[in-house]
């Protein structure tokens, strides 16, 4: 089986038509579905949160068969993820895409569990601590994208689960978890 | 002084003008008067009446006979004078008015005269004369020819060709004898010769065009036959029942053959997908798709795909036809496309067989399994 780094690639990754945007509707639907899954799987295992369409994203090329997705194809597959709520465009030009291999709601749930698992109720911590601190090691939260984390935290704040406040340092927020 | 200013024209004993070498007669008008300028007419002006006037490539020749009560200054029985076209400075437009509808047509033109009042010599001034055409002739045709001849300046070209070809025999007159006439007795030298040759060339071109059009007409009628044949076949196909099972096999077979034959001669689809629906899919699928499927599942085709050219060679049809078939097969989900700098190729469509719940899963059977086996047999996969 082929790999991309430590990521195991599925057999159809070597199927040339996989890299050509298919015109026939039913075929296209299947192709889109396979790409959505592959992108999300890849991003999750590689902890990738951002895809730049104009950059060389390794998943979009297969040197073994000398095929690459066109810009049109990349945009089509990512747009499908956006429609599903598994990605967001960060700019109007659709050049940068935030990948939500966990939805924001899922991230919020992960944070709640994190608080529970580490007995952090009613305590205070920082955003950076949550994503890089020792408790985050081995969890999905480790190295999570700041933008995504903030969105999840804001969602929880809105629900009254925590409070976000300006921390001591200029670029880090403090979090107070409710009990 | 009336007619004396114009040079005299020589006549034969029967009263016909003697033409210059290379001069050709073009029109004849009867009862033409040359009216002078001004009223009362200027003393230096020209005035004459003629029985008839001949337009040639070189001159306007006015011939009068003594039987008419003409104010001719000549004493001979028939008298003629001429206006050299070379002396014509300008030709005015033929005046048309309500008045002129019932009157004789009049054409004014300007004539160069010498200081001595003579026409034909060196010019010093010009005077205007009017041609009054009292005969019942086609005046407009004459006026056109008059302008044409005046513009053609045949007298000048002769001077050139005379000086150019003096001494050496001209290449142009290769078929003419030294007398300047060809075997038919037609003048072949000079401008007359050129004009005549041009005329002959036009006539022969016209003849070959006519022949070509005969061929074209024959082709067109054959084409019409073909179209009618195709139409009959088409309506036969369309009238077929849409359910495969309800008609007898023999009829279906022949319809199938008809479809295939039509396709092979390049009539893409007399039965369109929209109109025939089931018939199209059934009839076309059976024969053609079976062949495409067997082609596209060969081991090398599984790995490399098939181009329109490859399919054309294998199926024994034109590349354009092959592409049509491949595209149709694609639209039906049998194939999918691979577009790359290497070109446009088709592969067997594996997408339906690839599972979405587990993208790593490979079943033992099916074309996907076959494909993986083929693909892994090459060195591309580790």
């Amino acid at each position: 089986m082929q790999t991309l780094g430590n990521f195991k690639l599925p057999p159809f990754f070597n199927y040339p038509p996989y890299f050509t945007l298919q015109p026939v509707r039913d075929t296209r639907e299947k192709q889109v579905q396979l790409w959505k899954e592959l992108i999300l799987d890849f991003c999750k295992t590689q902890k990738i949160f951002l895809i730049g369409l104009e950059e060389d994203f390794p998943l979009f090329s297969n040197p073994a068969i000398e095929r690459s997705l066109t810009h049109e194809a990349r945009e089509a597959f990512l747009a499908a993820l956006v429609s599903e709520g598994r990605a967001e465009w960060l700019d109007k030009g659709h050049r940068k895409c935030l990948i939500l291999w966990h939805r924001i709601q899922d991230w919020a749930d992960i944070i709640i569990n994190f608080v529970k698992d580490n007995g952090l109720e009613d305590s205070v911590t920082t955003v950076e601590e949550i994503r890089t601190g020792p408790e985050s090691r081995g969890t999905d939260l480790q190295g999570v994208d700041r933008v995504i984390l903030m969105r999840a935290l804001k969602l929880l704040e809105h629900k009254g689960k925590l409070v976000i406040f300006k921390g001591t340092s200029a670029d880090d927020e403090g979090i107070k978890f409710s009990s | 002084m009336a007619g004396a200013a114009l040079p005299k024209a020589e006549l034969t004993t029967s009263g016909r003008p003697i033409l210059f070498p290379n001069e050709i007669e073009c029109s004849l008008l009867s009862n033409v008067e040359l009216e002078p300028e001004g009223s009362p007419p200027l003393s230096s002006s020209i005035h004459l009446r003629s029985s008839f006037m001949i337009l040639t490539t070189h001159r306007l020749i006015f011939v009068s006979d003594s039987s008419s009560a003409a104010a001719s200054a000549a004493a001979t029985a028939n008298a003629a004078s001429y206006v050299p076209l070379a002396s014509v400075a300008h030709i005015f437009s033929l005046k048309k008015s309500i008045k002129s509808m019932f009157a004789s047509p009049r054409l004014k033109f300007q004539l160069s005269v010498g200081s001595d009042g003579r026409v034909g010599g060196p010019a010093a001034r010009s005077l205007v004369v009017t041609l009054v055409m009292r005969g019942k002739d086609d005046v407009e045709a004459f006026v056109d020819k008059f302008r044409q001849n005046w513009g053609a300046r045949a007298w000048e070209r002769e001077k050139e060709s005379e000086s150019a070809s003096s001494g050496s025999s001209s290449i142009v007159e290769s078929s003419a004898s030294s007398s300047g006439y060809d075997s038919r007795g037609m003048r072949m030298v000079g401008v007359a010769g050129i004009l005549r040759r041009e005329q002959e060339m036009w006539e022969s071109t016209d003849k070959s065009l006519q022949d070509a059009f005969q061929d074209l007409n024959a082709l067109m009628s054959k084409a019409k036959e073909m179209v009618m044949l195709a139409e009959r076949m088409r309506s036969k196909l369309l009238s077929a029942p849409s359910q495969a099972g309800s008609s007898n096999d023999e009829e279906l077979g022949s319809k199938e053959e008809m479809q295939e034959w039509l396709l092979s001669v390049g009539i893409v689809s007399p039965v369109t997908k929209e109109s025939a629906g089931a018939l199209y899919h059934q009839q076309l699928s059976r024969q053609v798709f079976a062949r495409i499927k067997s082609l596209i599942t060969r081991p090398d085709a599984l790995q490399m795909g098939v181009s329109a050219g490859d399919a054309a060679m294998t199926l024994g049809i034109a590349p354009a036809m092959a592409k049509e078939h491949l595209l149709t097969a694609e639209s039906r989900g049998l194939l999918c496309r691979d577009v790359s700098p290497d070109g446009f190729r088709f592969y067997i469509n594996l997408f339906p067989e690839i599972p979405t719940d587990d993208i790593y899963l490979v079943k033992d059977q099916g074309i996907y399994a076959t494909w993986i086996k083929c693909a892994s047999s090459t060195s591309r996969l580790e």
Side-chain angles (χ1 to χ4, degrees):
Chain A
M1 190 87 58
Q2 262 184 297
T3 60
L4 200 57
N6 61 348
F7 180 76
K8 208 173 71 171
L9 288 166
F12 57 81
F13 197 71
N14 283 336
Y15 179 53
Y18 188 58
F19 286 84
T20 299
L21 201 55
Q22 295 299 318
V24 175
R25 192 195 59 185
D26 291 343
T27 312
R28 163 81 69 102
E29 273 173 23
K30 192 60 182 287
Q31 180 189 32
V32 167
Q33 213 179 344
L34 291 173
W35 269 107
K36 283 197 298 193
E37 264 191 62
L38 192 62
I39 292 168
L40 289 175
D41 270 359
F42 183 72
C43 290
K44 182 170 183 182
T45 59
Q46 308 298 303
K47 293 239 173 171
I48 292 169
F49 299 93
L50 194 67
I51 295 179
L53 263 79
E54 277 148 21
E55 288 145 32
D56 283 328
F57 190 58
L59 199 66
F60 290 159
S61 302
N62 184 353
I65 56 168
E66 292 170 336
R67 296 287 184 272
S68 267
L69 285 180
T70 59
H71 189 278
E72 191 198 355
R74 296 171 192 213
E75 200 176 337
F77 301 138
L78 290 170
L81 280 173
V82 171
S83 304
E84 223 182 278
R86 304 307 298 265
E88 280 179 19
W89 292 114
L90 290 180
D91 63 323
K92 277 211 187 96
H94 291 190
R95 284 188 296 266
K96 293 213 181 307
C97 196
L98 191 71
I99 307 298
L100 301 169
W101 38 269
H102 282 311
R103 293 174 202 274
I104 301 292
Q105 180 56 61
D106 301 333
W107 284 111
D109 292 342
I110 288 169
I111 292 166
I112 295 292
N113 291 331
F114 174 75
V115 168
K116 275 204 193 98
D117 293 347
N118 294 285
L120 296 171
E121 294 89 341
D122 218 13
S123 69
V124 173
T125 183
T126 68
V127 171
E128 274 308 299
E129 264 290 306
I130 294 170
R131 59 184 291 273
T132 60
E135 289 91 354
S136 69
R137 214 160 290 152
T139 72
D140 283 343
L141 282 171
Q142 182 180 25
V144 66
D145 183 79
R146 266 195 76 95
V147 170
I148 289 175
L149 184 57
M150 284 311 298
R151 294 261 291 269
L153 291 170
K154 285 205 176 97
L155 180 62
L156 289 169
E157 187 182 44
H158 188 71
K159 287 192 176 156
K161 305 283 187 186
L162 51 85
V163 175
I164 306 170
F165 57 92
K166 273 269 173 265
T168 48
S169 89
D171 46 67
D172 197 8
E173 281 89 348
I175 310 288
K176 174 156 189 319
F177 298 109
S178 25
S179 37
Chain B
M1 281 313 297
L6 289 180
K8 268 212 173 26
E10 282 181 2
L11 295 177
T12 63
T13 45
S14 49
R16 304 280 309 169
I18 295 171
L19 298 178
F20 295 154
N22 310 313
E23 188 178 14
I24 305 173
E25 278 186 31
C26 297
S27 318
L28 186 146
L29 296 182
S30 52
N31 225 332
V32 179
E33 186 177 339
L34 251 190
E35 240 181 39
E37 207 178 349
S39 134
L42 307 174
S43 60
S44 57
S45 191
I46 293 166
H47 183 204
L48 65 82
R49 286 201 188 98
S50 67
S51 310
F52 58 90
M53 180 190 74
I54 295 174
L55 167 71
T56 74
T57 47
H58 293 54
R59 314 180 267 175
L60 279 171
I61 306 174
F62 300 88
V63 182
S64 60
D65 56 50
S66 58
S67 58
S68 66
S72 172
T76 51
N78 287 322
S81 42
Y82 70 87
V83 168
L85 294 185
S87 300
V88 173
H90 179 73
I91 304 174
F92 293 88
S93 323
L94 190 61
K95 238 173 46 173
K96 280 183 175 166
S97 66
I98 306 279
K99 217 170 75 171
S100 71
M101 262 170 65
F102 300 103
S104 300
R106 309 169 88 84
L107 181 72
K108 271 195 166 70
F109 64 92
Q110 219 171 7
L111 204 53
S112 305
V113 293
S115 46
D116 55 357
R118 284 172 56 77
V119 174
R125 58 189 172 85
S126 63
L127 50 88
V128 175
V129 287
T130 309
L131 275 176
V132 187
M133 294 161 274
R134 300 189 196 280
K136 291 188 180 20
D137 308 292
D138 186 350
V139 169
E140 291 209 21
F142 157 74
V143 173
D144 282 343
K145 209 72 183 73
F146 181 23
R147 279 188 206 285
Q148 210 179 326
N149 289 1
W150 176 59
R153 308 190 81 80
W155 55 95
E156 277 174 14
R157 290 220 212 103
E158 268 153 35
K159 287 209 177 66
E160 285 169 26
S161 65
E162 268 162 30
S163 52
S165 62
S166 61
S168 62
S169 57
S170 173
I171 307 159
V172 177
E173 278 104 42
S174 55
S175 60
S177 62
S178 55
S179 70
Y181 289 86
D182 72 357
S183 50
R184 291 170 298 160
M186 305 282 262
R187 295 195 73 93
M188 291 306 284
V189 302
V191 175
I194 294 169
L195 286 172
R196 206 158 267 134
R197 258 192 298 282
E198 249 188 56
Q199 176 73 5
E200 280 163 19
M201 202 166 65
W202 275 113
E203 277 167 11
S204 80
T205 306
D206 190 44
K207 179 85 184 33
S208 40
L209 273 175
Q210 272 188 34
D211 292 342
F213 272 114
Q214 296 287 45
D215 292 340
L216 191 62
N217 285 338
L219 190 65
M220 285 301 288
S221 66
K222 274 276 171 274
K224 279 204 185 96
E225 275 176 42
M226 290 299 294
V227 168
M228 268 171 31
L229 180 65
E231 279 296 306
R232 283 214 312 272
M233 291 187 133
R234 181 179 171 275
S235 52
K236 250 199 180 156
L237 287 166
L238 280 174
S239 69
S242 49
Q243 295 306 320
S246 61
S247 54
N248 60 58
D249 279 336
E250 218 181 83
E251 211 177 273
L252 267 180
S254 70
K255 281 202 170 56
E256 219 166 74
E257 279 165 22
M258 230 197 316
Q259 273 276 21
E260 219 183 278
W261 176 81
L262 282 169
L263 279 162
S264 70
V265 298
I267 301 172
V268 176
S269 187
V271 180
T272 64
K273 294 176 206 175
E274 291 84 4
S275 65
L279 177 66
Y280 177 86
H281 288 289
Q282 279 163 32
Q283 301 305 328
L284 214 49
S285 305
R286 275 194 217 162
Q287 293 271 332
V288 178
F289 279 23
R291 296 182 71 192
I292 289 175
K293 193 161 185 186
S294 70
L295 166 65
I296 209 94
T297 48
R298 298 201 305 217
D300 53 341
L302 277 181
Q303 284 180 64
M304 296 188 319
V306 153
S307 70
D310 299 337
M313 274 199 291
T314 312
L315 299 174
I317 56 178
M321 285 305 308
K323 186 148 194 197
E324 271 292 318
H325 289 324
L326 294 171
L327 288 170
T328 307
E330 180 195 37
S331 72
R332 289 212 53 220
L334 179 68
L335 309 175
C336 47
R337 61 177 61 181
D338 162 45
V339 177
S340 74
D342 299 336
F344 197 130
R345 304 183 81 83
F346 290 91
Y347 284 74
I348 188 92
N349 185 7
L350 297 178
F351 285 108
E353 274 197 50
I354 302 171
T356 47
D357 41 4
D358 180 357
I359 58 176
Y360 300 97
L361 179 67
V362 180
K363 285 187 268 218
D364 290 332
Q365 278 121 18
I367 192 69
Y368 186 37
T370 314
W371 176 79
I372 289 173
K373 278 199 204 97
C374 270
S376 59
S377 69
T378 67
S379 56
R380 278 199 295 203
L381 288 180
E382 288 97 335

